[in-house]
Amino acid sequence: MALLGSTELFLGRMKTERMTTCKFHLFPQVRNPITKFRFITRSLSSSSSSSSWSLPPSHEPELLLATSDAILKSFSPSRFTPSPPAPDISNYLLNGCKWTDAPNCPDYIGPVSIGRTRYGRGLFARSNFDAGDIISISNAFALSHNDTHNIDLFDKIYTIVKESPLALRRYYCLAGNGPHDNLAVPDIRLFDANYTHFHGIDPSGSEELKIDEEKLVRILHVNAFSGEVSPTYNKTSSCEEGRINGLWLIPSFVNHSCCPNASRLIVGKAMFIVAARDIKAEEEINFSYTNIMSPLRHREKNLAEIGYGFRCECHRCETERSVEKEFEEVSQRYQDLLGRAEDEVYSAVTSPERQPPHCFPACVELFELYEILRGKVNALRHLTKVQKQWILSGYSCAFLGKWFISGYANGFNPPSDFISSNALELVEAMKCTEPGMLRTLSFMTILAHVAAKEEERRFSLVQSLVELALHECVCLYGKQRLDVTMELMEQSANIVPFF
């Protein structure tokens, strides 16, 4: 299930107004993406006159050439080969994901099934998936645009189910805001748009279903998604820039986790479920309903405020609850400072003047708080490395605010200050916790820039960071051609890795 308004869907990830505004061009405008990659540290310039920043040329430009050649030779083509039935969405991705430019994407259920879970129902893999594989493609049951109160969306759903008994049966399979443990587990073939009858089963059912408006609303409330669209900017466009509300049937069976194994990707009216990790057969598929790069209490508060009606009991949450008292003061202070830090980062990157970090006290204090947190985490000897990474990633903004503001102010010099062990530790923790996240991808790409600027020949570090970034692209966008994946990696560096 998923609640309307809880998830900002943009390429499967959260998008805010500030994320949209805070963009930069870190790569030179070279046509060939492989050539672009070889220029990875040559220049950084903003597209906005109100703010600009740049890095000096690499001390060893031949290092980048050698690194890129080595990485390209090491890649297996299968890692970047879209697998059937994935349609070609490369132009859509590279050109800003404009709504009206989205290709037609036929429904594809994939090797998945709906099954019983501890608390209700969920979507399960019936075969192994590699990271980047397309698990399922679903076109929206209904969509509306700039529909703040979902009035248009409800009207469209009502019209659809009134005219089609099969549509009503499919819709009634979804959960409302009530107990889910007694709900029937439907045959996933019921949602196959290509069939009306299969193996003697009548998907419309034998009994007549009646329209219950209150039930329609409850199901809509629990299962709809909300996000932003980027239309083609012309007068004939039928889709205005703004928000999109929609309901997708099969994705509605995907449950939440604070360490998910899948991500969502919106391509026009279609929602792709993408494997963000390697997934084994019989494993439940899950993604996040809220911003999980936050501490336990913040995640719990978000889930409660948007009305999900459940307490997440994933392995990460249970781990953090077991040591919650160790971080109580740190967590509270983090929440007190975060809003001010967001304002400071936004101000720093939109101001025409570069200001030193001490002008942003909330970011400075959060950075100091992160050091305290690291000490506390490392003192817990009984936790595994992964469990420690879960905790650290929840406080990633505490580190990233001052890190980015400082780099922005002085061109990320000296590089050794910005590719510190703490930075490398955090980017690994973020990828471990939620693979396929735009913020993490941007952080990785900028780190690769900075590492290549060092006077020391850090070939292996640059190579590792670029490989991580390319893999993160695969987790976020699915398997695309290598040249497309590299271009998407480069574009990610235009995003401030904080929001």
Side-chain angles (χ1 to χ4, degrees):
M1 66 176 181
L3 188 68
L4 186 64
S6 64
T7 306
E8 302 290 337
L9 289 173
F10 179 74
L11 301 180
R13 280 292 166 259
M14 300 191 75
K15 179 185 179 186
T16 65
E17 181 180 353
R18 287 180 173 176
M19 177 183 287
T20 308
T21 305
C22 298
K23 291 185 177 181
F24 306 88
H25 291 297
L26 281 77
F27 291 84
Q29 302 302 304
V30 182
R31 294 294 298 175
N32 187 325
I34 295 179
T35 304
K36 280 188 180 182
F37 173 66
R38 290 171 172 167
F39 278 85
I40 192 171
T41 58
R42 298 295 174 82
S43 65
L44 295 171
S45 63
S46 172
S47 60
S48 170
S49 59
S50 63
S51 60
S52 62
W53 64 315
S54 62
L55 290 178
S58 170
H59 293 284
E60 300 288 350
E62 69 274 12
L63 174 62
L64 268 295
L65 291 172
T67 303
S68 63
D69 288 339
I71 293 173
L72 292 175
K73 290 177 182 178
S74 70
F75 285 146
S76 168
S78 63
R79 291 180 58 185
F80 301 94
T81 303
S83 55
D88 184 1
I89 59 172
S90 56
N91 289 334
Y92 172 77
L93 295 175
L94 294 174
N95 294 325
C97 303
K98 295 180 174 61
W99 174 265
T100 51
D101 291 346
N104 179 49
C105 300
D107 284 340
Y108 167 68
I109 290 182
V112 294
S113 62
I114 302 167
R116 184 70 63 187
T117 67
R118 183 179 174 186
Y119 301 106
R121 305 166 305 174
L123 193 68
F124 291 83
R126 289 195 290 108
S127 65
N128 296 337
F129 292 100
D130 294 333
D133 283 346
I134 303 301
I135 296 173
S136 180
I137 303 173
S138 299
N139 281 278
F141 185 82
L143 285 173
S144 64
H145 301 99
N146 298 324
D147 181 18
T148 305
H149 302 291
N150 313 318
I151 295 174
D152 291 342
L153 184 60
F154 176 81
D155 288 343
K156 290 181 178 181
I157 289 173
Y158 185 88
T159 299
I160 291 169
V161 299
K162 184 178 179 181
E163 295 177 352
S164 170
L166 175 56
L168 180 61
R169 181 167 299 280
R170 287 170 172 164
Y171 188 82
Y172 274 0
C173 287
L174 305 185
N177 52 354
H180 299 167
D181 50 350
N182 293 324
L183 293 174
V185 177
D187 189 318
I188 199 164
R189 294 174 297 175
L190 176 63
F191 303 98
D192 191 337
N194 298 317
Y195 292 91
T196 55
H197 293 78
F198 40 81
H199 302 294
I201 301 174
D202 179 5
S204 63
S206 57
E207 76 277 16
E208 181 180 354
L209 297 177
K210 296 183 179 180
I211 294 179
D212 181 338
E213 290 191 16
E214 291 186 3
K215 185 175 181 178
L216 295 180
V217 171
R218 291 196 301 270
I219 292 174
L220 171 63
H221 177 71
V222 171
N223 294 282
F225 290 91
S226 176
E228 295 182 4
V229 296
S230 300
T232 299
Y233 296 99
N234 60 58
K235 295 181 180 180
T236 61
S237 174
S238 60
C239 173
E240 298 178 2
E241 180 180 14
R243 301 190 64 79
I244 178 176
N245 297 339
L247 186 140
W248 289 261
L249 296 175
I250 290 178
S252 295
F253 289 96
V254 179
N255 288 316
H256 165 83
S257 174
C258 292
C259 44
N261 58 15
S263 61
R264 294 176 293 260
L265 179 69
I266 295 296
V267 182
K269 297 179 180 180
M271 180 186 290
F272 288 43
I273 301 177
V274 180
R277 310 179 195 266
D278 293 343
I279 300 174
K280 295 181 179 180
E282 308 304 324
E283 186 177 347
E284 185 179 0
I285 296 162
N286 42 59
F287 41 55
S288 58
Y289 290 1
T290 186
N291 176 18
I292 61 172
M293 288 296 176
S294 53
L296 172 67
R297 287 304 173 198
H298 188 71
R299 302 196 306 271
E300 290 180 332
K301 181 181 178 182
N302 285 347
L303 289 172
E305 286 180 348
I306 51 186
Y308 279 118
F310 71 89
R311 180 173 113 150
C312 182
E313 296 184 0
C314 68
H315 294 312
R316 179 188 175 192
C317 285
E318 290 303 290
T319 295
E320 293 187 41
R321 288 190 185 101
S322 71
V323 295
E324 185 177 5
K325 290 185 178 180
E326 299 288 338
F327 306 103
E328 194 169 10
E329 293 183 5
V330 172
S331 178
Q332 184 58 55
R333 189 57 183 156
Y334 176 86
Q335 298 304 326
D336 293 342
L337 291 168
L338 184 60
R340 287 165 49 197
E342 290 174 348
D343 292 339
E344 288 179 357
V345 173
Y346 184 74
S347 174
V349 297
T350 56
S351 172
E353 297 181 0
R354 311 284 181 89
Q355 295 178 303
H358 67 77
C359 296
F360 307 97
C363 288
V364 171
E365 186 174 346
L366 277 177
F367 194 83
E368 295 168 352
L369 196 68
Y370 184 81
E371 287 299 312
I372 296 172
L373 172 77
R374 284 191 70 252
K376 289 180 175 290
V377 170
N378 290 330
L380 299 175
R381 303 294 184 184
H382 66 286
L383 294 184
T384 66
K385 178 182 177 180
V386 170
Q387 289 172 327
K388 291 178 180 180
Q389 288 176 325
W390 289 341
I391 297 172
L392 290 175
S393 65
Y395 292 85
S396 57
C397 284
F399 179 88
L400 287 169
K402 180 176 180 287
W403 180 88
F404 184 80
I405 285 176
S406 299
Y408 175 74
N410 61 23
F412 287 92
N413 284 309
S416 57
D417 286 355
F418 297 93
I419 50 172
S420 62
S421 59
N422 287 1
L424 299 174
E425 175 189 66
L426 178 59
V427 79
E428 183 182 357
M430 293 169 68
K431 182 166 181 57
C432 169
T433 302
E434 187 178 15
M437 188 175 184
L438 189 56
R439 182 195 305 172
T440 306
L441 176 58
S442 173
F443 189 21
M444 291 172 176
T445 307
I446 295 174
L447 280 171
H449 274 267
V450 179
K453 279 160 42 77
E454 270 214 298
E455 293 181 356
E456 300 177 7
R457 292 175 176 269
R458 305 194 67 169
F459 179 95
S460 60
L461 177 58
V462 176
Q463 179 172 350
S464 296
L465 287 168
V466 173
E467 286 180 338
L468 275 175
L470 291 174
H471 186 266
E472 192 74 356
C473 274
V474 169
C475 298
L476 176 59
Y477 302 112
K479 291 179 179 178
Q480 307 296 327
R481 299 190 315 271
L482 178 56
D483 61 320
V484 175
T485 305
M486 293 175 66
E487 176 81 6
L488 292 170
M489 179 193 75
E490 294 165 1
Q491 291 182 5
S492 75
N494 301 334
I495 299 295
V496 175
F498 180 85
F499 299 108

